Amino acid sequence: MMAEFWTIWLVSLSFGLYIYIGWRSRVKDSSGFYVAGQGVPQIANGAATAADWMSAASFISMAGLISTLGYDGSIYLMGWTGGYVLLALLLAPYLRKFGKYTVPDFVGDRYYSNAARLVAVVAALFVSLTYVAGQMRGVGIVFSRFLQVDISTGVIIGMVVVAFFSVLGGMKGITWTQVAQYGVLIVAYLIPAAAIAYILTGNPIPQLAFTFSDIVGKLNQIQLDLGFKEYSQPFANRSQLDVLFTTLALMVGTAGLPHVIVRFYTVTNVRAARYSAGWALLFIALLYTSAPALATFARYNLISTLHNQPITEVRQLDWANKWEKTKLLTFDDKNNDGRIELTPDKNTSEITIDPDIIVLSTPEVARLAPWVIGLVAAGGLAAALSTASGLLLVISSSVAHDIYYRILNPNASETQRVFVGRIMVGLAVVLAGYFGINPPGFVAQVVAFAFGLAAASFFPAIVLGIFDKRTNREGAIAGIVVGLLFTLFYIVGVKFYGMPPWLFGISPEGIGTVGMIINFIVTLVVSRLTPPPPLAVQEMVEDLRSPAQAELPVKILH
């Protein structure tokens, strides 16, 4: 009961802080609503970007997947981290110099076409809705376990809180709330990681404990004894080609995520965008370098605690009993010998562990203090809600700014633009809640699909829009449409309709790389077969890559 007490207290305290910040940050103008008035300090924007980017998939699911897949789970670590570096160094400064509010804004103006803008809006909605589904599932999981409510109720509570500070404050409210959420999630991640590192190895620094202790060797031997492959053996669960393609899809998908890109529009200038990207990378590294260690410790502890133990004793463990009620952890004594065993064969294994519970259950398995358990729950919610709020603003701005204001009613007043934006945030929250209650997969898997869609749609359009002045609107539209449809068809077919992964065995999480390649080819070929962009657009692209600090005086060309 102490764990529940601490969880309720810490979650309520953190939610109260988020609501207070949202109230204090409320805005009335569109600049404040969409890009926080472009006045966010560099360090604060770095923390907000880190929180926006480190979603429930990073906090809840990534270490769980590494723990389950071993070496092959590092695709998420390498892909997401490498992708952020790619975005920060290659794209973010140029996009900030362009000076617009959204990715569809960039696509529409760079490719001098409202048709291109609409295609980009559709792609942004696909990516964001897929991504937000994973965040709301993460919210539901945390509430389901720690507050003893069903997942649907947990999702609704999360919806109400995130809607409050998103509707009132827009990007300004979201930004300062994300700064607070980063503080909560990073403390919640590092404290249990350090505590368990010390318990298992005598070294409280997770990264050093993982690297210089014999914990991985011990786990390798345990895995072999149970019939699994070694924990650190490469390509044990995925082919080498699939590992490569999935890592690339996650990498270039990160560089095309609209809710992360928009964060670089909130600072004062290009220089500030570069520095805030550096701060964000530092803040992200604190969690990402700890994740492999926490994954290894969690796997070691779970096997030691559960395997070959009397089922009656396991069910007397408070944490095991409560996680079993969520149906994310199951025990089934199939051979009726009174003990439960973990085996690599799903048909004979008597323990089933959902990857999404591994990080959340780790403090309980390690018997850490109840306040640490509550802190981890608050951290998981902070990670999910911080990213969900950024995604909701992308969904809102895609309709309210890029369609309503830029196409349907260019003479809309500030009051009208903000009102429509708030209405769209409300509708997006309802959609997010539906997907949280009815998710198409576990958190990191759903998020990986979003990265694949972003890789296949936005990344080529952004890269060629910056670095190839010959790319025109016909090429960009054709590339986005073909890349997005191919990737969506493959993911839906393999994931939901039982199609085999027919393209060289590439998984749905990795197919975004193929979609990206197709997009690049189609865009370049069509652009060369059709008239070049207007001279003014070509000159704008040249200016975009110059080191000058001034924003571009872009005008929409049709």
Side-chain angles (χ1 to χ4, degrees):
M1 291 299 294
M2 284 300 295
E4 280 73 19
F5 167 78
W6 278 103
T7 300
I8 292 171
W9 192 81
L10 289 171
V11 168
S12 299
L13 184 66
S14 62
F15 276 22
L17 175 63
Y18 307 153
I19 291 172
Y20 172 75
I21 293 172
W23 175 256
R24 288 296 303 268
S25 303
R26 59 193 185 278
V27 296
K28 296 182 179 179
D29 60 281
S30 59
S31 176
F33 191 83
Y34 291 117
V35 288
Q38 294 188 326
V40 180
Q42 298 166 12
I43 297 179
N45 194 58
T49 303
D52 203 357
W53 186 73
M54 289 192 297
S55 64
S58 292
F59 189 98
I60 296 174
S61 241
M62 181 176 66
L65 282 168
I66 296 172
S67 183
T68 302
L69 298 174
Y71 177 95
D72 294 347
S74 62
I75 56 176
Y76 296 94
L77 188 70
M78 295 185 295
W80 287 336
T81 309
Y84 180 78
V85 174
L86 181 67
L87 170 62
L89 297 180
L90 183 66
L91 304 180
Y94 302 110
L95 292 172
R96 175 61 188 86
K97 185 177 180 181
F98 202 79
K100 293 299 175 178
Y101 284 0
T102 66
V103 175
D105 236 0
F106 170 82
V107 172
D109 287 358
R110 163 59 181 87
Y111 295 111
Y112 51 98
S113 167
N114 278 334
R117 188 187 308 276
L118 282 173
V119 170
V121 166
V122 171
L125 292 175
F126 262 115
V127 171
S128 300
L129 286 172
T130 306
Y131 204 153
V132 82
Q135 309 315 306
M136 300 316 292
R137 172 172 160 83
V139 171
I141 288 171
V142 174
F143 275 114
S144 176
R145 160 58 189 92
F146 292 104
L147 299 185
Q148 302 297 296
V149 300
D150 60 57
I151 288 180
S152 300
T153 304
V155 170
I156 291 170
I157 295 171
M159 286 166 56
V160 171
V161 173
V162 78
F164 185 87
F165 61 76
S166 299
V167 170
L168 274 182
M171 180 56 83
K172 185 178 179 182
I174 287 170
T175 295
W176 290 107
T177 304
Q178 285 173 336
V179 173
Q181 286 166 334
Y182 175 77
V184 173
L185 76 87
I186 198 64
V187 170
Y189 204 87
L190 293 181
I191 285 179
I196 298 169
Y198 183 76
I199 291 170
L200 292 180
T201 70
N203 188 332
I205 302 175
Q207 296 87 341
L208 298 181
F210 174 73
T211 304
F212 297 110
S213 73
D214 62 349
I215 191 73
V216 175
K218 289 180 178 178
L219 185 54
N220 280 339
Q221 188 58 53
I222 291 174
Q223 295 254 121
L224 291 174
D225 291 343
L226 297 181
F228 292 89
K229 295 180 180 179
E230 284 190 344
Y231 182 75
S232 59
Q233 179 179 335
F235 316 121
N237 301 286
R238 292 172 177 263
S239 69
Q240 190 169 357
L241 181 66
D242 190 38
V243 167
L244 173 63
F245 273 55
T246 303
T247 303
L248 284 173
L250 295 173
M251 187 178 293
V252 298
T254 296
L257 286 176
H259 74 288
V260 178
I261 290 173
V262 75
R263 290 243 49 93
F264 296 101
Y265 294 139
T266 63
V267 292
T268 53
N269 53 41
V270 177
R271 179 183 175 86
R274 293 184 187 275
Y275 275 97
S276 66
W279 281 111
L281 187 58
L282 173 63
F283 294 141
I284 289 167
L286 291 176
L287 187 145
Y288 266 60
T289 56
S290 303
L294 187 60
T296 304
F297 303 152
R299 180 76 173 176
Y300 183 87
N301 275 339
L302 277 170
I303 294 177
S304 302
T305 304
L306 298 178
H307 175 70
N308 203 31
Q309 299 298 314
I311 191 168
T312 53
E313 291 184 12
V314 169
R315 285 206 165 114
Q316 288 175 3
L317 295 170
D318 184 61
W319 68 268
N321 183 42
K322 288 176 178 175
W323 275 113
E324 192 174 14
K325 290 178 181 177
T326 68
K327 300 180 181 179
L328 300 174
L329 175 67
T330 61
F331 307 115
D332 183 9
D333 186 13
K334 296 176 181 177
N335 58 11
N336 295 314
D337 66 349
R339 294 180 175 271
I340 52 173
E341 296 181 351
L342 181 66
T343 68
D345 186 352
K346 293 181 180 180
N347 296 320
T348 61
S349 183
E350 298 172 333
I351 305 171
T352 304
I353 305 171
D354 189 298
D356 288 341
I357 78 167
I358 288 177
V359 169
L360 296 174
S361 67
T362 291
E364 298 175 287
V365 178
R367 299 179 181 178
L368 299 183
W371 66 268
V372 179
I373 298 169
L375 183 63
V376 169
L381 290 170
L385 294 179
S386 63
T387 302
S389 59
L391 291 164
L392 292 174
L393 193 71
V394 167
I395 296 170
S396 166
S397 62
S398 294
V399 178
H401 179 76
D402 295 307
I403 295 180
Y404 173 72
Y405 172 62
R406 299 305 299 268
I407 298 176
L408 298 180
N409 187 10
N411 297 317
S413 66
E414 288 285 323
T415 302
Q416 289 174 315
R417 292 164 64 186
V418 174
F419 176 75
V420 173
R422 285 176 169 150
I423 293 295
M424 292 313 304
V425 168
L427 293 176
V429 166
V430 174
L431 276 175
Y434 172 80
F435 284 117
I437 295 168
N438 303 282
F442 56 82
V443 175
Q445 186 181 44
V446 172
V447 169
F449 296 157
F451 279 76
L453 295 175
S457 56
F458 283 130
F459 184 73
I462 294 172
V463 169
L464 293 176
I466 294 171
F467 296 102
D468 181 34
K469 63 182 182 181
R470 181 62 178 81
T471 299
N472 62 15
R473 64 185 174 192
E474 292 83 3
I477 293 171
I480 291 174
V481 170
V482 173
L484 187 64
L485 289 180
F486 167 80
T487 305
L488 194 62
F489 168 79
Y490 193 93
I491 289 174
V492 171
V494 174
K495 176 64 182 172
F496 302 109
Y497 289 97
M499 280 187 351
W502 49 268
L503 192 64
F504 305 111
I506 297 171
S507 65
E509 294 91 340
I511 200 62
T513 298
V514 181
M516 174 199 68
I517 294 170
I518 293 173
N519 186 336
F520 268 117
I521 293 171
V522 170
T523 302
L524 290 170
V525 170
V526 172
S527 293
R528 267 60 184 180
L529 296 177
T530 49
L535 185 59
V537 172
Q538 296 187 51
E539 292 175 349
M540 176 187 70
V541 175
E542 289 283 357
D543 291 339
L544 185 62
R545 297 197 302 272
S546 71
Q549 296 295 310
E551 292 182 6
L552 296 178
V554 181
K555 295 182 179 179
I556 303 176
L557 302 173
H558 302 287

